[in-house]
Amino acid sequence: MPNTIIIGSGSYIPSRVIGRDYFLNSEFYTDEGEKIDKPTEEIISKFVEITEIENRRYIGDDTSNSQIGYEAAKVALEDAKVDGEELDYIIYASNFGEVGTNGVANFMPNMAGRVKNHLGIKNKKCITYDMIFGCPGWVEAMILANNLIKAEVAKTILVVGAETLSRVTDPYDRNKMIFADGAGAVVVKATDEENVGIISHNTICDNGPELEYLRNGASINKDFDDEKLYIRMMGRKIYEYALKNVPAAIKETIDNAGLSIEDIDKILIHQANAKMDYAMIERLHKLYDVKNYDHAISPMTIQEFGNSSVATIPTMFDLIIKGKMEGQTFKEKGNIVMTSVGAGMNINAIVYKFP
């Protein structure tokens, strides 16, 4: 049975930097719809203290999700030295598709098809799939790609994760300061080399009451005359759910690979919230009875890039493998974990071994 290895990567980080001053004229409301009676600067400072998000990146009004996905995909194909006509599949992860400046999500035609068009690929046998799976969408797209390769129905697949969350945030919600735009992509290929690539994966879907933890809904400002739907997030519920379930899911994935935490060189965790990410990594080590560990095992980009959902992990992978993230490198023939949690609630993880 063939294995799945990454042979090229790319990312697109918007040049538009959005700092804390961007939000100084905002009016913030509670989840119950009451205006928060505190100075805006105080609200912003408390937000930065908790999340560590000082900056985030937004695309311009003249740019779209599929365009930034295309930019990341083009770089990944060039890096892999693969002609787009060789692709068997393009899998595109996003949550809102080609959302316009009006905030309306658009998935027709699908995102993968749009990128195939932008790339100028004529091959009719190159199949285009969209993956709508919350923030874990790109990791799940990698798992799907791995399954297609192991089933020997594909040899070369482009996996893209791109999102423009700046266009779907409630102007009255403090959580709008979390979200950002960006894109990342990799090219994966079948190999006969043993014990390399994706050597273990794990997916969990809790779709009971957890389904409401992260969803679309009306503005929390009940006087705001707007029919648009925005990201609604039950922050405390998500934090408690993630801390309870994500570390155990990662450990199960590592154990299934026949490894232990000491064998893992890096953990690329979805950049959701710095406080939550730190807590999950600490809890994971506790599951292995490890109290002291090098915090560099879990690189962080959220402080400068914000939460770009499906794009955070492939972007981080691309930056590290190309030596663009200070103090971070991948070990030759080392093992890394890629893991995410998000709307659903869904959790997934991959153990990847470099060839």
Side-chain angles (χ1 to χ4, degrees):
M1 190 180 296
N3 287 314
T4 304
I5 58 171
I6 298 170
I7 61 170
S9 64
S11 60
Y12 179 89
I13 300 167
S15 59
R16 187 182 175 199
V17 179
I18 304 296
R20 64 166 69 191
D21 289 353
Y22 180 86
F23 303 101
L24 283 175
N25 294 324
S26 299
E27 290 184 358
F28 294 116
Y29 284 67
T30 67
D31 290 339
E32 292 72 35
E34 300 294 328
K35 186 176 178 181
I36 300 174
D37 189 22
K38 290 181 180 179
T40 304
E41 175 58 40
E42 182 181 331
I43 297 171
I44 295 171
S45 295
K46 184 64 175 178
F47 168 87
V48 175
E49 179 186 333
I50 293 172
T51 66
E52 296 188 9
I53 302 172
E54 187 70 45
N55 295 309
R56 71 284 296 146
R57 303 297 181 98
Y58 287 0
I59 61 169
D61 290 346
D62 59 346
T63 311
S64 68
N65 188 330
S66 67
Q67 287 173 323
I68 65 174
Y70 156 72
E71 294 294 341
K74 180 175 66 173
V75 174
L77 286 168
E78 291 170 352
D79 188 42
K81 297 179 174 57
V82 166
D83 186 325
E85 301 296 338
E86 299 175 38
L87 294 173
D88 299 302
Y89 287 84
I90 299 173
I91 310 175
Y92 198 114
S94 74
N95 295 295
F96 294 92
E98 196 80 313
V99 58
T101 54
N102 61 359
V104 177
N106 179 357
F107 280 100
M108 189 165 65
N110 70 343
M111 299 302 292
R114 294 176 200 244
V115 165
K116 178 181 175 180
N117 177 272
H118 289 328
L119 290 168
I121 296 172
K122 307 297 184 185
N123 178 11
K124 295 182 180 182
K125 294 292 186 179
C126 173
I127 300 169
T128 57
Y129 282 159
D130 277 18
M131 175 66 71
I132 307 170
F133 201 71
C135 291
W138 182 82
V139 174
E140 198 62 27
M142 288 287 285
I143 292 171
L144 173 58
N146 180 59
N147 289 336
L148 290 167
I149 285 174
K150 286 194 174 300
E152 300 186 9
V153 297
K155 291 183 178 179
T156 311
I157 302 175
L158 172 65
V159 186
V160 184
E163 200 67 272
T164 51
L165 296 178
S166 64
R167 295 180 176 177
V168 291
T169 53
D170 184 347
Y172 298 96
D173 189 350
R174 288 166 292 181
N175 289 326
K176 72 178 181 179
M177 293 186 284
I178 291 175
F179 299 110
D181 307 334
V186 300
V187 178
V188 296
K189 192 174 182 66
T191 179
D192 292 327
E193 188 177 349
E194 296 182 358
N195 193 36
V196 295
I198 298 175
I199 59 175
S200 177
H201 61 82
N202 187 18
T203 301
I204 294 169
C205 298
D206 283 312
N207 307 131
E210 301 87 359
L211 202 63
E212 297 298 309
Y213 293 177
L214 191 54
R215 59 182 178 83
N216 283 336
S219 172
I220 53 178
N221 181 357
K222 297 178 176 58
D223 295 326
F224 186 40
D225 186 18
D226 189 348
E227 296 181 356
K228 288 169 60 174
L229 295 178
Y230 301 100
I231 299 174
R232 291 265 66 78
M233 187 166 66
M234 299 171 68
R236 172 52 58 178
K237 288 282 190 181
I238 293 172
Y239 184 89
E240 292 171 351
Y241 172 86
L243 199 57
K244 177 182 177 181
N245 295 283
V246 173
I250 298 173
K251 184 178 186 300
E252 182 182 3
T253 316
I254 294 172
D255 293 348
N256 289 342
L259 303 173
S260 183
I261 192 67
E262 290 83 5
D263 302 308
I264 303 301
D265 304 307
K266 296 292 175 190
I267 301 171
L268 306 190
I269 192 167
H270 165 52
Q271 301 293 283
N273 171 317
K275 180 182 178 182
M276 188 170 81
D277 285 356
Y278 292 141
M280 287 189 289
I281 297 300
E282 182 178 357
R283 182 69 62 89
L284 171 64
H285 282 83
K286 283 183 178 179
L287 293 177
Y288 287 98
D289 295 320
V290 175
K291 293 182 179 180
N292 300 309
Y293 59 93
D294 185 353
H295 290 267
I297 191 173
S298 181
M300 301 287 281
T301 59
I302 194 166
Q303 292 85 350
E304 290 300 318
F305 297 159
N307 177 349
S308 56
S309 185
V310 294
T312 66
I313 295 175
T315 296
M316 200 185 321
F317 179 91
D318 182 56
L319 292 175
I320 295 173
I321 203 165
K322 292 178 179 173
K324 295 180 179 180
M325 196 167 174
E326 187 177 351
Q328 293 289 344
T329 58
F330 291 133
K331 184 179 177 181
E332 188 176 356
K333 299 187 182 300
N335 303 300
I336 66 170
V337 169
M338 294 183 273
T339 184
S340 185
V341 60
M345 294 293 287
N346 301 322
I347 301 168
N348 52 21
I350 287 171
V351 174
Y352 182 85
K353 183 177 181 62
F354 285 95

